[in-house]
Amino acid sequence: MIAIDNSNKHGFSLIEIIVSLVIVAVVGTMVFTFLRGTVVPSSKPVFMAKDLADAQAIMEEKVAEYSKYLSDEEYSWGELKDSLNGTEVQNEINDDYVFEIIEVTISFGDQKISALFTQ
C-alpha cells in the first residue's frame, strides 16, 4: 500500500474556499444594502443642475431679446411679446397702467426660473 504524506500539502481545501465565498457574499450584500440608498439618489442633484442650466440658457436668450427691446428703438413691444410666446408660462399683468408687465417662467424638470419684463 502507498502511504500519503499530508505534511507537504499546499493551498486551500474546498471547505475553506466555500466558507470564504459565503463570507464575501454576506459582506458584499451588507455593503450593497447600505450604499444603495446613498448611491442611487446621488444622480438627482446632477440632473437638477443640468435642468437648471438648460432653463438659464433659455432665460438668457429671453433677457437678450428684452435688452434688444430696451436698446433698439425700432424693436417694438409687440415684437418682444411675439418672441416670448415660445415660453412655457407667460402672464400679462395690466392693471390700467400705462405700461405692461410680462411674467415669463421657464421650467425644466423640477427647476423653474421666472423673470418680469416691463414695457
Side-chain angles (χ1 to χ4, degrees), residues 23-57:
I23 290 172
V24 167
V26 168
V27 170
T29 302
M30 290 185 333
V31 167
F32 177 75
T33 303
F34 176 73
L35 291 179
R36 181 181 59 184
T38 306
V39 173
V40 172
S42 68
S43 63
K44 187 173 182 177
V46 173
F47 290 119
M48 289 173 62
K50 183 187 177 308
D51 289 344
L52 184 59
D54 291 342
Q56 282 177 332

PDB file of all heavy atoms in Angstrom, residues 23-57:
ATOM      1  N   ILE A  23     -18.619  34.214   3.142  1.00  0.00           N
ATOM      2  CA  ILE A  23     -18.328  35.422   3.917  1.00  0.00           C
ATOM      3  C   ILE A  23     -18.272  36.640   2.996  1.00  0.00           C
ATOM      4  O   ILE A  23     -18.839  37.700   3.306  1.00  0.00           O
ATOM      5  CB  ILE A  23     -17.011  35.251   4.701  1.00  0.00           C
ATOM      6  CG1 ILE A  23     -17.213  34.226   5.820  1.00  0.00           C
ATOM      7  CG2 ILE A  23     -16.532  36.582   5.269  1.00  0.00           C
ATOM      8  CD1 ILE A  23     -15.948  33.837   6.542  1.00  0.00           C
ATOM      9  N   VAL A  24     -17.616  36.508   1.850  1.00  0.00           N
ATOM     10  CA  VAL A  24     -17.535  37.619   0.898  1.00  0.00           C
ATOM     11  C   VAL A  24     -18.933  37.985   0.393  1.00  0.00           C
ATOM     12  O   VAL A  24     -19.270  39.166   0.251  1.00  0.00           O
ATOM     13  CB  VAL A  24     -16.589  37.268  -0.269  1.00  0.00           C
ATOM     14  CG1 VAL A  24     -16.729  38.252  -1.412  1.00  0.00           C
ATOM     15  CG2 VAL A  24     -15.150  37.222   0.215  1.00  0.00           C
ATOM     16  N   ALA A  25     -19.778  37.001   0.133  1.00  0.00           N
ATOM     17  CA  ALA A  25     -21.142  37.269  -0.342  1.00  0.00           C
ATOM     18  C   ALA A  25     -21.962  37.995   0.714  1.00  0.00           C
ATOM     19  O   ALA A  25     -22.691  38.951   0.406  1.00  0.00           O
ATOM     20  CB  ALA A  25     -21.821  35.970  -0.749  1.00  0.00           C
ATOM     21  N   VAL A  26     -21.856  37.589   1.965  1.00  0.00           N
ATOM     22  CA  VAL A  26     -22.618  38.238   3.041  1.00  0.00           C
ATOM     23  C   VAL A  26     -22.136  39.673   3.230  1.00  0.00           C
ATOM     24  O   VAL A  26     -22.949  40.609   3.334  1.00  0.00           O
ATOM     25  CB  VAL A  26     -22.501  37.422   4.350  1.00  0.00           C
ATOM     26  CG1 VAL A  26     -23.039  38.214   5.539  1.00  0.00           C
ATOM     27  CG2 VAL A  26     -23.235  36.104   4.218  1.00  0.00           C
ATOM     28  N   VAL A  27     -20.839  39.893   3.263  1.00  0.00           N
ATOM     29  CA  VAL A  27     -20.305  41.242   3.427  1.00  0.00           C
ATOM     30  C   VAL A  27     -20.685  42.108   2.214  1.00  0.00           C
ATOM     31  O   VAL A  27     -21.070  43.272   2.364  1.00  0.00           O
ATOM     32  CB  VAL A  27     -18.771  41.202   3.641  1.00  0.00           C
ATOM     33  CG1 VAL A  27     -18.181  42.602   3.560  1.00  0.00           C
ATOM     34  CG2 VAL A  27     -18.445  40.563   4.976  1.00  0.00           C
ATOM     35  N   GLY A  28     -20.604  41.567   1.015  1.00  0.00           N
ATOM     36  CA  GLY A  28     -20.986  42.305  -0.182  1.00  0.00           C
ATOM     37  C   GLY A  28     -22.448  42.702  -0.165  1.00  0.00           C
ATOM     38  O   GLY A  28     -22.800  43.814  -0.563  1.00  0.00           O
ATOM     39  N   THR A  29     -23.302  41.816   0.287  1.00  0.00           N
ATOM     40  CA  THR A  29     -24.732  42.117   0.384  1.00  0.00           C
ATOM     41  C   THR A  29     -24.980  43.231   1.399  1.00  0.00           C
ATOM     42  O   THR A  29     -25.784  44.138   1.150  1.00  0.00           O
ATOM     43  CB  THR A  29     -25.512  40.855   0.785  1.00  0.00           C
ATOM     44  OG1 THR A  29     -25.265  39.837  -0.177  1.00  0.00           O
ATOM     45  CG2 THR A  29     -26.998  41.127   0.878  1.00  0.00           C
ATOM     46  N   MET A  30     -24.279  43.184   2.528  1.00  0.00           N
ATOM     47  CA  MET A  30     -24.448  44.235   3.530  1.00  0.00           C
ATOM     48  C   MET A  30     -23.965  45.586   2.998  1.00  0.00           C
ATOM     49  O   MET A  30     -24.626  46.610   3.192  1.00  0.00           O
ATOM     50  CB  MET A  30     -23.691  43.872   4.819  1.00  0.00           C
ATOM     51  CG  MET A  30     -24.329  42.718   5.568  1.00  0.00           C
ATOM     52  SD  MET A  30     -23.625  42.278   7.171  1.00  0.00           S
ATOM     53  CE  MET A  30     -21.948  42.774   7.124  1.00  0.00           C
ATOM     54  N   VAL A  31     -22.847  45.618   2.316  1.00  0.00           N
ATOM     55  CA  VAL A  31     -22.320  46.875   1.765  1.00  0.00           C
ATOM     56  C   VAL A  31     -23.260  47.406   0.693  1.00  0.00           C
ATOM     57  O   VAL A  31     -23.568  48.600   0.649  1.00  0.00           O
ATOM     58  CB  VAL A  31     -20.892  46.667   1.217  1.00  0.00           C
ATOM     59  CG1 VAL A  31     -20.451  47.846   0.379  1.00  0.00           C
ATOM     60  CG2 VAL A  31     -19.919  46.423   2.355  1.00  0.00           C
ATOM     61  N   PHE A  32     -23.738  46.529  -0.189  1.00  0.00           N
ATOM     62  CA  PHE A  32     -24.656  46.952  -1.244  1.00  0.00           C
ATOM     63  C   PHE A  32     -25.941  47.519  -0.650  1.00  0.00           C
ATOM     64  O   PHE A  32     -26.450  48.546  -1.101  1.00  0.00           O
ATOM     65  CB  PHE A  32     -24.967  45.780  -2.174  1.00  0.00           C
ATOM     66  CG  PHE A  32     -25.958  46.124  -3.239  1.00  0.00           C
ATOM     67  CD1 PHE A  32     -25.585  46.893  -4.326  1.00  0.00           C
ATOM     68  CD2 PHE A  32     -27.280  45.705  -3.154  1.00  0.00           C
ATOM     69  CE1 PHE A  32     -26.496  47.229  -5.313  1.00  0.00           C
ATOM     70  CE2 PHE A  32     -28.196  46.030  -4.128  1.00  0.00           C
ATOM     71  CZ  PHE A  32     -27.802  46.788  -5.211  1.00  0.00           C
ATOM     72  N   THR A  33     -26.480  46.868   0.368  1.00  0.00           N
ATOM     73  CA  THR A  33     -27.707  47.331   1.002  1.00  0.00           C
ATOM     74  C   THR A  33     -27.491  48.690   1.660  1.00  0.00           C
ATOM     75  O   THR A  33     -28.350  49.574   1.579  1.00  0.00           O
ATOM     76  CB  THR A  33     -28.182  46.310   2.054  1.00  0.00           C
ATOM     77  OG1 THR A  33     -28.366  45.057   1.414  1.00  0.00           O
ATOM     78  CG2 THR A  33     -29.483  46.739   2.695  1.00  0.00           C
ATOM     79  N   PHE A  34     -26.353  48.881   2.274  1.00  0.00           N
ATOM     80  CA  PHE A  34     -26.054  50.152   2.928  1.00  0.00           C
ATOM     81  C   PHE A  34     -25.869  51.276   1.909  1.00  0.00           C
ATOM     82  O   PHE A  34     -26.364  52.374   2.092  1.00  0.00           O
ATOM     83  CB  PHE A  34     -24.795  50.004   3.785  1.00  0.00           C
ATOM     84  CG  PHE A  34     -24.357  51.285   4.419  1.00  0.00           C
ATOM     85  CD1 PHE A  34     -25.065  51.830   5.481  1.00  0.00           C
ATOM     86  CD2 PHE A  34     -23.247  51.956   3.944  1.00  0.00           C
ATOM     87  CE1 PHE A  34     -24.663  53.020   6.058  1.00  0.00           C
ATOM     88  CE2 PHE A  34     -22.844  53.146   4.516  1.00  0.00           C
ATOM     89  CZ  PHE A  34     -23.549  53.678   5.582  1.00  0.00           C
ATOM     90  N   LEU A  35     -25.168  51.021   0.819  1.00  0.00           N
ATOM     91  CA  LEU A  35     -24.853  52.064  -0.159  1.00  0.00           C
ATOM     92  C   LEU A  35     -25.962  52.315  -1.176  1.00  0.00           C
ATOM     93  O   LEU A  35     -25.961  53.344  -1.832  1.00  0.00           O
ATOM     94  CB  LEU A  35     -23.563  51.710  -0.899  1.00  0.00           C
ATOM     95  CG  LEU A  35     -22.286  51.771  -0.071  1.00  0.00           C
ATOM     96  CD1 LEU A  35     -21.096  51.384  -0.919  1.00  0.00           C
ATOM     97  CD2 LEU A  35     -22.083  53.150   0.507  1.00  0.00           C
ATOM     98  N   ARG A  36     -26.878  51.372  -1.313  1.00  0.00           N
ATOM     99  CA  ARG A  36     -27.929  51.527  -2.317  1.00  0.00           C
ATOM    100  C   ARG A  36     -28.744  52.789  -2.080  1.00  0.00           C
ATOM    101  O   ARG A  36     -29.079  53.516  -3.003  1.00  0.00           O
ATOM    102  CB  ARG A  36     -28.843  50.310  -2.323  1.00  0.00           C
ATOM    103  CG  ARG A  36     -29.934  50.392  -3.366  1.00  0.00           C
ATOM    104  CD  ARG A  36     -30.826  49.214  -3.344  1.00  0.00           C
ATOM    105  NE  ARG A  36     -31.424  49.116  -2.012  1.00  0.00           N
ATOM    106  CZ  ARG A  36     -32.205  48.135  -1.631  1.00  0.00           C
ATOM    107  NH1 ARG A  36     -32.471  47.163  -2.446  1.00  0.00           N
ATOM    108  NH2 ARG A  36     -32.711  48.100  -0.429  1.00  0.00           N
ATOM    109  N   GLY A  37     -29.055  53.101  -0.840  1.00  0.00           N
ATOM    110  CA  GLY A  37     -29.830  54.297  -0.528  1.00  0.00           C
ATOM    111  C   GLY A  37     -29.059  55.575  -0.751  1.00  0.00           C
ATOM    112  O   GLY A  37     -29.635  56.638  -0.905  1.00  0.00           O
ATOM    113  N   THR A  38     -27.744  55.503  -0.809  1.00  0.00           N
ATOM    114  CA  THR A  38     -26.922  56.685  -0.975  1.00  0.00           C
ATOM    115  C   THR A  38     -26.496  56.902  -2.414  1.00  0.00           C
ATOM    116  O   THR A  38     -26.519  58.024  -2.918  1.00  0.00           O
ATOM    117  CB  THR A  38     -25.659  56.563  -0.094  1.00  0.00           C
ATOM    118  OG1 THR A  38     -26.064  56.291   1.241  1.00  0.00           O
ATOM    119  CG2 THR A  38     -24.844  57.821  -0.128  1.00  0.00           C
ATOM    120  N   VAL A  39     -26.124  55.867  -3.100  1.00  0.00           N
ATOM    121  CA  VAL A  39     -25.553  55.990  -4.436  1.00  0.00           C
ATOM    122  C   VAL A  39     -26.622  56.265  -5.488  1.00  0.00           C
ATOM    123  O   VAL A  39     -26.436  57.103  -6.358  1.00  0.00           O
ATOM    124  CB  VAL A  39     -24.742  54.719  -4.788  1.00  0.00           C
ATOM    125  CG1 VAL A  39     -24.292  54.760  -6.230  1.00  0.00           C
ATOM    126  CG2 VAL A  39     -23.555  54.587  -3.864  1.00  0.00           C
ATOM    127  N   VAL A  40     -27.742  55.589  -5.424  1.00  0.00           N
ATOM    128  CA  VAL A  40     -28.775  55.734  -6.453  1.00  0.00           C
ATOM    129  C   VAL A  40     -29.337  57.157  -6.492  1.00  0.00           C
ATOM    130  O   VAL A  40     -29.390  57.769  -7.554  1.00  0.00           O
ATOM    131  CB  VAL A  40     -29.886  54.675  -6.262  1.00  0.00           C
ATOM    132  CG1 VAL A  40     -31.042  54.934  -7.193  1.00  0.00           C
ATOM    133  CG2 VAL A  40     -29.317  53.290  -6.484  1.00  0.00           C
ATOM    134  N   PRO A  41     -29.739  57.775  -5.357  1.00  0.00           N
ATOM    135  CA  PRO A  41     -30.254  59.139  -5.436  1.00  0.00           C
ATOM    136  C   PRO A  41     -29.169  60.196  -5.666  1.00  0.00           C
ATOM    137  O   PRO A  41     -29.480  61.354  -5.871  1.00  0.00           O
ATOM    138  CB  PRO A  41     -30.913  59.373  -4.080  1.00  0.00           C
ATOM    139  CG  PRO A  41     -30.997  58.080  -3.414  1.00  0.00           C
ATOM    140  CD  PRO A  41     -30.003  57.181  -4.059  1.00  0.00           C
ATOM    141  N   SER A  42     -27.914  59.823  -5.632  1.00  0.00           N
ATOM    142  CA  SER A  42     -26.859  60.817  -5.799  1.00  0.00           C
ATOM    143  C   SER A  42     -26.844  61.408  -7.209  1.00  0.00           C
ATOM    144  O   SER A  42     -26.243  62.442  -7.427  1.00  0.00           O
ATOM    145  CB  SER A  42     -25.495  60.213  -5.480  1.00  0.00           C
ATOM    146  OG  SER A  42     -25.140  59.258  -6.448  1.00  0.00           O
ATOM    147  N   SER A  43     -27.516  60.773  -8.150  1.00  0.00           N
ATOM    148  CA  SER A  43     -27.567  61.327  -9.505  1.00  0.00           C
ATOM    149  C   SER A  43     -28.621  62.433  -9.623  1.00  0.00           C
ATOM    150  O   SER A  43     -28.579  63.218 -10.565  1.00  0.00           O
ATOM    151  CB  SER A  43     -27.875  60.220 -10.512  1.00  0.00           C
ATOM    152  OG  SER A  43     -29.151  59.676 -10.264  1.00  0.00           O
ATOM    153  N   LYS A  44     -29.529  62.519  -8.674  1.00  0.00           N
ATOM    154  CA  LYS A  44     -30.591  63.524  -8.750  1.00  0.00           C
ATOM    155  C   LYS A  44     -30.047  64.953  -8.772  1.00  0.00           C
ATOM    156  O   LYS A  44     -30.492  65.763  -9.589  1.00  0.00           O
ATOM    157  CB  LYS A  44     -31.584  63.336  -7.608  1.00  0.00           C
ATOM    158  CG  LYS A  44     -32.788  64.228  -7.725  1.00  0.00           C
ATOM    159  CD  LYS A  44     -33.846  63.915  -6.701  1.00  0.00           C
ATOM    160  CE  LYS A  44     -35.034  64.821  -6.931  1.00  0.00           C
ATOM    161  NZ  LYS A  44     -36.121  64.526  -6.026  1.00  0.00           N
ATOM    162  N   PRO A  45     -29.085  65.330  -7.914  1.00  0.00           N
ATOM    163  CA  PRO A  45     -28.555  66.694  -8.000  1.00  0.00           C
ATOM    164  C   PRO A  45     -27.891  67.002  -9.342  1.00  0.00           C
ATOM    165  O   PRO A  45     -27.938  68.136  -9.815  1.00  0.00           O
ATOM    166  CB  PRO A  45     -27.530  66.763  -6.863  1.00  0.00           C
ATOM    167  CG  PRO A  45     -27.939  65.711  -5.912  1.00  0.00           C
ATOM    168  CD  PRO A  45     -28.560  64.638  -6.748  1.00  0.00           C
ATOM    169  N   VAL A  46     -27.314  65.997  -9.967  1.00  0.00           N
ATOM    170  CA  VAL A  46     -26.688  66.210 -11.273  1.00  0.00           C
ATOM    171  C   VAL A  46     -27.755  66.560 -12.307  1.00  0.00           C
ATOM    172  O   VAL A  46     -27.590  67.506 -13.098  1.00  0.00           O
ATOM    173  CB  VAL A  46     -25.890  64.961 -11.707  1.00  0.00           C
ATOM    174  CG1 VAL A  46     -25.378  65.107 -13.125  1.00  0.00           C
ATOM    175  CG2 VAL A  46     -24.751  64.698 -10.738  1.00  0.00           C
ATOM    176  N   PHE A  47     -28.859  65.829 -12.304  1.00  0.00           N
ATOM    177  CA  PHE A  47     -29.938  66.112 -13.247  1.00  0.00           C
ATOM    178  C   PHE A  47     -30.605  67.458 -12.935  1.00  0.00           C
ATOM    179  O   PHE A  47     -31.005  68.180 -13.846  1.00  0.00           O
ATOM    180  CB  PHE A  47     -30.972  64.991 -13.256  1.00  0.00           C
ATOM    181  CG  PHE A  47     -30.454  63.727 -13.869  1.00  0.00           C
ATOM    182  CD1 PHE A  47     -30.387  62.555 -13.134  1.00  0.00           C
ATOM    183  CD2 PHE A  47     -30.017  63.697 -15.181  1.00  0.00           C
ATOM    184  CE1 PHE A  47     -29.897  61.394 -13.701  1.00  0.00           C
ATOM    185  CE2 PHE A  47     -29.527  62.540 -15.763  1.00  0.00           C
ATOM    186  CZ  PHE A  47     -29.476  61.386 -15.015  1.00  0.00           C
ATOM    187  N   MET A  48     -30.713  67.801 -11.646  1.00  0.00           N
ATOM    188  CA  MET A  48     -31.289  69.091 -11.287  1.00  0.00           C
ATOM    189  C   MET A  48     -30.403  70.230 -11.781  1.00  0.00           C
ATOM    190  O   MET A  48     -30.908  71.240 -12.292  1.00  0.00           O
ATOM    191  CB  MET A  48     -31.471  69.173  -9.771  1.00  0.00           C
ATOM    192  CG  MET A  48     -32.579  68.295  -9.233  1.00  0.00           C
ATOM    193  SD  MET A  48     -32.667  68.254  -7.438  1.00  0.00           S
ATOM    194  CE  MET A  48     -33.003  69.942  -7.054  1.00  0.00           C
ATOM    195  N   ALA A  49     -29.091  70.071 -11.646  1.00  0.00           N
ATOM    196  CA  ALA A  49     -28.164  71.108 -12.120  1.00  0.00           C
ATOM    197  C   ALA A  49     -28.231  71.246 -13.638  1.00  0.00           C
ATOM    198  O   ALA A  49     -28.183  72.359 -14.173  1.00  0.00           O
ATOM    199  CB  ALA A  49     -26.742  70.777 -11.679  1.00  0.00           C
ATOM    200  N   LYS A  50     -28.372  70.113 -14.342  1.00  0.00           N
ATOM    201  CA  LYS A  50     -28.489  70.160 -15.801  1.00  0.00           C
ATOM    202  C   LYS A  50     -29.784  70.856 -16.214  1.00  0.00           C
ATOM    203  O   LYS A  50     -29.783  71.691 -17.127  1.00  0.00           O
ATOM    204  CB  LYS A  50     -28.437  68.759 -16.391  1.00  0.00           C
ATOM    205  CG  LYS A  50     -28.485  68.757 -17.913  1.00  0.00           C
ATOM    206  CD  LYS A  50     -28.599  67.349 -18.454  1.00  0.00           C
ATOM    207  CE  LYS A  50     -28.718  67.326 -19.952  1.00  0.00           C
ATOM    208  NZ  LYS A  50     -29.769  68.170 -20.498  1.00  0.00           N
ATOM    209  N   ASP A  51     -30.889  70.533 -15.547  1.00  0.00           N
ATOM    210  CA  ASP A  51     -32.166  71.185 -15.850  1.00  0.00           C
ATOM    211  C   ASP A  51     -32.089  72.688 -15.596  1.00  0.00           C
ATOM    212  O   ASP A  51     -32.587  73.494 -16.384  1.00  0.00           O
ATOM    213  CB  ASP A  51     -33.292  70.579 -15.005  1.00  0.00           C
ATOM    214  CG  ASP A  51     -33.652  69.169 -15.428  1.00  0.00           C
ATOM    215  OD1 ASP A  51     -33.267  68.764 -16.549  1.00  0.00           O
ATOM    216  OD2 ASP A  51     -34.307  68.460 -14.637  1.00  0.00           O
ATOM    217  N   LEU A  52     -31.443  73.070 -14.494  1.00  0.00           N
ATOM    218  CA  LEU A  52     -31.310  74.488 -14.179  1.00  0.00           C
ATOM    219  C   LEU A  52     -30.443  75.201 -15.215  1.00  0.00           C
ATOM    220  O   LEU A  52     -30.767  76.313 -15.645  1.00  0.00           O
ATOM    221  CB  LEU A  52     -30.719  74.666 -12.783  1.00  0.00           C
ATOM    222  CG  LEU A  52     -30.600  76.094 -12.279  1.00  0.00           C
ATOM    223  CD1 LEU A  52     -31.973  76.768 -12.251  1.00  0.00           C
ATOM    224  CD2 LEU A  52     -29.959  76.114 -10.909  1.00  0.00           C
ATOM    225  N   ALA A  53     -29.375  74.550 -15.654  1.00  0.00           N
ATOM    226  CA  ALA A  53     -28.510  75.158 -16.678  1.00  0.00           C
ATOM    227  C   ALA A  53     -29.269  75.335 -17.989  1.00  0.00           C
ATOM    228  O   ALA A  53     -29.123  76.365 -18.664  1.00  0.00           O
ATOM    229  CB  ALA A  53     -27.270  74.298 -16.887  1.00  0.00           C
ATOM    230  N   ASP A  54     -30.076  74.348 -18.356  1.00  0.00           N
ATOM    231  CA  ASP A  54     -30.880  74.458 -19.576  1.00  0.00           C
ATOM    232  C   ASP A  54     -31.892  75.608 -19.462  1.00  0.00           C
ATOM    233  O   ASP A  54     -32.088  76.387 -20.402  1.00  0.00           O
ATOM    234  CB  ASP A  54     -31.608  73.149 -19.870  1.00  0.00           C
ATOM    235  CG  ASP A  54     -30.664  72.036 -20.292  1.00  0.00           C
ATOM    236  OD1 ASP A  54     -29.517  72.340 -20.690  1.00  0.00           O
ATOM    237  OD2 ASP A  54     -31.067  70.856 -20.213  1.00  0.00           O
ATOM    238  N   ALA A  55     -32.548  75.707 -18.308  1.00  0.00           N
ATOM    239  CA  ALA A  55     -33.516  76.783 -18.101  1.00  0.00           C
ATOM    240  C   ALA A  55     -32.822  78.141 -18.121  1.00  0.00           C
ATOM    241  O   ALA A  55     -33.343  79.109 -18.693  1.00  0.00           O
ATOM    242  CB  ALA A  55     -34.259  76.575 -16.784  1.00  0.00           C
ATOM    243  N   GLN A  56     -31.645  78.234 -17.523  1.00  0.00           N
ATOM    244  CA  GLN A  56     -30.906  79.500 -17.525  1.00  0.00           C
ATOM    245  C   GLN A  56     -30.499  79.906 -18.938  1.00  0.00           C
ATOM    246  O   GLN A  56     -30.535  81.088 -19.281  1.00  0.00           O
ATOM    247  CB  GLN A  56     -29.661  79.397 -16.645  1.00  0.00           C
ATOM    248  CG  GLN A  56     -29.953  79.495 -15.178  1.00  0.00           C
ATOM    249  CD  GLN A  56     -28.704  79.317 -14.332  1.00  0.00           C
ATOM    250  OE1 GLN A  56     -27.759  78.646 -14.726  1.00  0.00           O
ATOM    251  NE2 GLN A  56     -28.710  79.924 -13.161  1.00  0.00           N
ATOM    252  N   ALA A  57     -30.114  78.933 -19.754  1.00  0.00           N
ATOM    253  CA  ALA A  57     -29.714  79.243 -21.129  1.00  0.00           C
ATOM    254  C   ALA A  57     -30.885  79.844 -21.905  1.00  0.00           C
ATOM    255  O   ALA A  57     -30.719  80.832 -22.641  1.00  0.00           O
ATOM    256  CB  ALA A  57     -29.198  77.988 -21.821  1.00  0.00           C
TER     257      ALA A  57
END
